[in-house]
Amino acid sequence: MAERPTGLKATKGIELLTFGTPNGHKASIILEELKEAYGKDYTWQSINIMQNIQKEPWFTKLGPNGRIPVIVDHDQGGFAVMEGLSILTYLTRMYDPDHKFSFSDPLDISRAEQWMAWQHGGLGPMQGQANHFNRFAKEKIPYGMQRYTGETERLVGVLNTALEGTDYLVGNKYSIADIASYGWINILRFSGVELDDFPNVKAWWERISARPAVQKGLAIPTKSSFGNETYVQRLKDEKEFAEQDQTLKTQIQEAKDKYGYKYASP
């Protein structure tokens, strides 16, 4: 068992405090991309959110909101950055001089910021609530299930339309605009939304998933069992898991029917 973190352990470079969630993967993926592109190495520590390590005083001094991920740039006097969107922009502003994952044109910068804000205020929060009501709430609340699963579907529909005729969200170039949403789409099936219903999003997800740095980033601190590929494999291999999945799908559909949900996007 890994030793429980009680403070920072590095003295130079970037130190990442994270866990295997969609928000955590924003930071680990961009750090792996920068490592591959520029040789920019980093240190990481696993912050087990189930143990509330992120609520401890040493952590909240760095990330006042008590959430992962947080990075600390030891080469900038121990400068700490919280929130995935801010981490993506900080790291590329400081360590992506060739704009391999970011942009120099002011309009493209704005386009990327808009999609990142869309994810930060929409896709992430709504899908997170879908996960809560579908998976983790102590009691099944049909209104919450259909409300947040439906809003997640709507938002994925927006993404699907935006990806019509293009490989990536901004300038037909893989960038932090894509990384911001990728981690959430990577667990879409876990959230109760069928990826196959959104062909442009599925192709985009497959395209990004094939990147070696993305695969490495998804494995920090350990590979999640919630990812789309793992989820599908579990459906094939585990009878009980497949039965539970079918039960959940039925519950979601019944909740939609109860409240007259009709898919629409935008």
Side-chain angles (χ1 to χ4, degrees), residues 236-249:
K236 295 177 181 178
D237 296 343
E238 303 175 29
K239 182 180 178 181
E240 183 178 354
F241 182 80
E243 291 173 349
Q244 291 171 347
D245 181 74
Q246 187 55 55
T247 298
L248 177 62
K249 286 181 178 178

Side-chain angles (χ1 to χ4, degrees), residues 103 107-117 170 175-177:
F103 301 93
L107 298 185
D108 281 339
I109 292 172
S110 178
R111 292 182 181 104
E113 289 174 343
Q114 290 173 56
W115 279 112
M116 293 167 73
V170 179
S175 73
I176 55 176

Side-chain angles (χ1 to χ4, degrees), residues 203-220:
W204 170 87
W205 168 76
E206 290 174 339
R207 197 173 296 121
I208 295 174
S209 295
R211 297 180 65 88
V214 171
Q215 289 296 318
K216 292 176 182 176
L218 290 175
I220 292 173

Side-chain angles (χ1 to χ4, degrees), residues 21 55 59 91 95 106 123 126 131 149 194 217 225-226 265:
T21 71
K55 304 295 186 182
F59 187 98
L91 287 172
Y95 300 110
L123 182 64
M126 295 301 103
N131 291 344
T149 306
E194 182 47 61
S225 62
F226 299 151
S265 185

Side-chain angles (χ1 to χ4, degrees), residues 98-159:
D98 299 332
H99 300 290
K100 294 183 177 181
F101 312 106
S102 56
F103 301 93
S104 57
D105 178 81
L107 298 185
D108 281 339
I109 292 172
S110 178
R111 292 182 181 104
E113 289 174 343
Q114 290 173 56
W115 279 112
M116 293 167 73
W118 171 86
Q119 182 281 314
H120 195 74
L123 182 64
M126 295 301 103
Q127 193 174 342
Q129 289 298 317
N131 291 344
H132 174 77
F133 282 100
N134 292 341
R135 298 282 182 178
F136 304 122
K138 292 182 179 180
E139 60 180 296
K140 295 297 183 183
I141 303 174
Y143 182 80
M145 294 175 72
Q146 63 86 32
R147 169 72 176 92
Y148 291 108
T149 306
E151 182 63 2
T152 300
E153 290 177 339
R154 185 191 76 80
L155 290 161
V156 177
V158 171
L159 192 63

Side-chain angles (χ1 to χ4, degrees), residues 31-263:
L31 282 164
E32 285 293 337
E33 293 285 10
L34 293 172
K35 182 178 179 179
E36 184 172 296
Y38 298 103
K40 178 68 177 174
D41 211 346
Y42 69 100
T43 304
W44 60 267
Q45 292 197 72
S46 177
I47 305 299
N48 190 331
I49 59 176
M50 309 306 291
Q51 298 175 1
N52 273 338
I53 298 173
Q54 75 279 8
K55 304 295 186 182
E56 295 177 359
W58 74 269
F59 187 98
T60 57
K61 286 180 181 179
L62 304 167
N65 196 36
R67 298 287 190 274
I68 61 93
V70 168
I71 63 167
V72 176
D73 191 341
H74 292 285
D75 296 338
Q76 297 294 325
F79 185 73
V81 185
M82 66 176 182
E83 299 293 340
L85 187 158
S86 299
I87 289 171
L88 289 170
T89 54
Y90 176 83
L91 287 172
T92 48
R93 187 181 301 119
M94 297 292 287
Y95 300 110
D96 183 24
D98 299 332
H99 300 290
K100 294 183 177 181
F101 312 106
S102 56
F103 301 93
S104 57
D105 178 81
L107 298 185
D108 281 339
I109 292 172
S110 178
R111 292 182 181 104
E113 289 174 343
Q114 290 173 56
W115 279 112
M116 293 167 73
W118 171 86
Q119 182 281 314
H120 195 74
L123 182 64
M126 295 301 103
Q127 193 174 342
Q129 289 298 317
N131 291 344
H132 174 77
F133 282 100
N134 292 341
R135 298 282 182 178
F136 304 122
K138 292 182 179 180
E139 60 180 296
K140 295 297 183 183
I141 303 174
Y143 182 80
M145 294 175 72
Q146 63 86 32
R147 169 72 176 92
Y148 291 108
T149 306
E151 182 63 2
T152 300
E153 290 177 339
R154 185 191 76 80
L155 290 161
V156 177
V158 171
L159 192 63
N160 196 67
T161 300
L163 289 166
E164 186 71 42
T166 185
D167 287 346
Y168 302 105
L169 284 170
V170 179
N172 207 21
K173 164 187 166 180
Y174 170 71
S175 73
I176 55 176
D178 303 289
I179 295 173
S181 289
Y182 169 81
W184 287 100
I185 298 301
N186 190 51
I187 66 162
L188 196 61
R189 288 176 170 132
F190 174 82
S191 302
V193 178
E194 182 47 61
L195 182 61
D196 292 343
D197 291 344
F198 303 93
N200 296 333
V201 173
K202 184 179 180 182
W204 170 87
W205 168 76
E206 290 174 339
R207 197 173 296 121
I208 295 174
S209 295
R211 297 180 65 88
V214 171
Q215 289 296 318
K216 292 176 182 176
L218 290 175
I220 292 173
T222 57
K223 186 175 181 179
S224 171
S225 62
F226 299 151
N228 292 321
E229 288 180 341
T230 305
Y231 197 88
V232 169
Q233 193 62 48
R234 290 187 69 189
L235 290 176
K236 295 177 181 178
D237 296 343
E238 303 175 29
K239 182 180 178 181
E240 183 178 354
F241 182 80
E243 291 173 349
Q244 291 171 347
D245 181 74
Q246 187 55 55
T247 298
L248 177 62
K249 286 181 178 178
T250 300
Q251 291 171 334
I252 292 173
Q253 188 57 53
E254 289 174 348
K256 288 178 176 179
D257 293 342
K258 179 177 181 179
Y259 289 96
Y261 166 83
K262 302 293 183 184
Y263 169 78

Side-chain angles (χ1 to χ4, degrees), residues 17-30:
L17 308 173
T18 193
F19 204 56
T21 71
N23 286 331
H25 289 149
K26 295 176 192 176
S28 56
I29 287 172
I30 188 58

